[in-house]
Amino acid sequence: MIYELRPKIRTVRLVPYVHEGRASFLVSDPLQLNGHALIIPEALAPLLLVCDGTGSLDRITARLQTDFGLHAEQDDLEAILDAFDQVFLLENERFRTEEAQALEAYREADFRRPVSAGASYPSEPTALHRLLQDLLESVDIEPDTEPVDAVLSPHIDYGRGGLTYAETWKAASNSAAEADLVVIIGTDHYSSHPITLTGQHYATPFGVLPTDSGIVSALAAVLGEEAAFAGELYHRIEHSLELPLVWLHHLAGGREVPIVPILCGSFKQDSPKVAAFIAALQNETAGRNTFTIISGDLAHVGPAFGGLPQTSADRRAIRADDARLMGLLSTGDSSGFLAAVKDTRNATNLCGAYPLYLGLSTFGYRSGKLVGYRQCEADDRGESFVSIGGMTFKKAR
């Protein structure tokens, strides 16, 4: 066999799927080292738990039987694990070699290419310009005449979230167009790393937004090089920075605005490393005309996210809960906001809690204004949805 005697399946993406009338899962690699996904029956999902690198095939077979009542022949398990290995879903030398080669290619490229172009939005600049302008002109909101220091921007696809994007970015359009430096903090959907940096530039169909390597180096020195870049390859496929940056680049007229791209997972808010990172980011941006983008969506509820079907009453309750949380954000209460999310164990799967905490804690915004809110469908039955909100923030002056 190619894989180790004690096979370990990596952290994977699981998406519910019906295959030939049978409940199944699509299993794929968050890093997208291989473009293929596997289909496994729902009943076989426990295999992902027991292949944790601690047991042989004999032990795995026994655990499936005793813990889950699942009988599996070793020959069948070997075939399944071989399939996992072919798409780099096993934690082994084959995967590590492929990962290292992908990271080298990512770093040696002139820029990080816009992977959502052609899918979430047009890849051709003229068509993209027309789409964004049409959305901006369709919303009944005026650009803020006072400086806006930051936005909470959605990162859902434009098809569902376009109007909320437009409301958010139109309100902040003057400040976004004039910024000398942009810090963007986005949700890391695919890894468990607390804070992940990259030195790579970000491209959009309008050109390239250069990453400020000096600031990135200073921040990496605080976190430690290994920790700061351990998950760097996730920048390659993460949409949470790309989708808001397209709007920024549009409003900046294609200008090469320097950026500081930060992916944010979860962390202990009292961590000395987080405190040092916040202090370093404050120091490195001091005296600069800095605009901050906090990229995050709100609730993710319903069967599409492993929950119960949502009723009209559920939708009203989520709207009220979102309003409560955004009320805390409007006063700059980052600690109270994060505590409120934790109190419910993030029952609504809010996406963006830690980027919001990090952004508000770093820059001390004291005046937040809600400019857009929607609940976007996430399945064909109207039982699942994602809620999104757009906000503008200002510092105390």
Side-chain angles (χ1 to χ4, degrees), residues 131-202:
L131 170 67
L132 301 185
Q133 279 300 114
D134 287 347
L135 286 168
L136 289 167
E137 292 168 8
S138 69
V139 296
D140 185 20
I141 194 168
E142 294 297 324
D144 202 316
T145 56
E146 297 180 356
V148 171
D149 298 297
V151 293
L152 165 62
S153 172
H155 56 236
I156 198 170
D157 58 275
Y158 295 173
R160 291 181 291 173
L163 292 177
T164 306
Y165 276 105
E167 289 162 341
T168 304
W169 285 94
K170 191 171 184 178
S173 56
N174 291 333
S175 296
E178 297 169 359
D180 296 329
L181 174 70
V182 172
V183 174
I184 179 165
I185 308 170
T187 303
D188 189 340
H189 290 95
Y190 304 115
S191 85
S192 59
H193 300 288
I195 298 172
T196 300
L197 305 176
T198 185
Q200 186 56 281
H201 308 309
Y202 265 69

Side-chain angles (χ1 to χ4, degrees), residues 100-115 198-203 208-211 232-233 235-236:
Q101 291 174 349
L103 180 59
E104 182 180 9
Y106 168 78
R107 289 175 171 173
E108 289 184 349
D110 292 334
F111 47 77
R112 178 231 185 245
R113 68 182 186 88
V115 295
T198 185
Q200 186 56 281
H201 308 309
Y202 265 69
V208 176
L209 294 164
T211 291
E232 185 181 6
L233 196 54
H235 276 270
R236 185 184 67 159

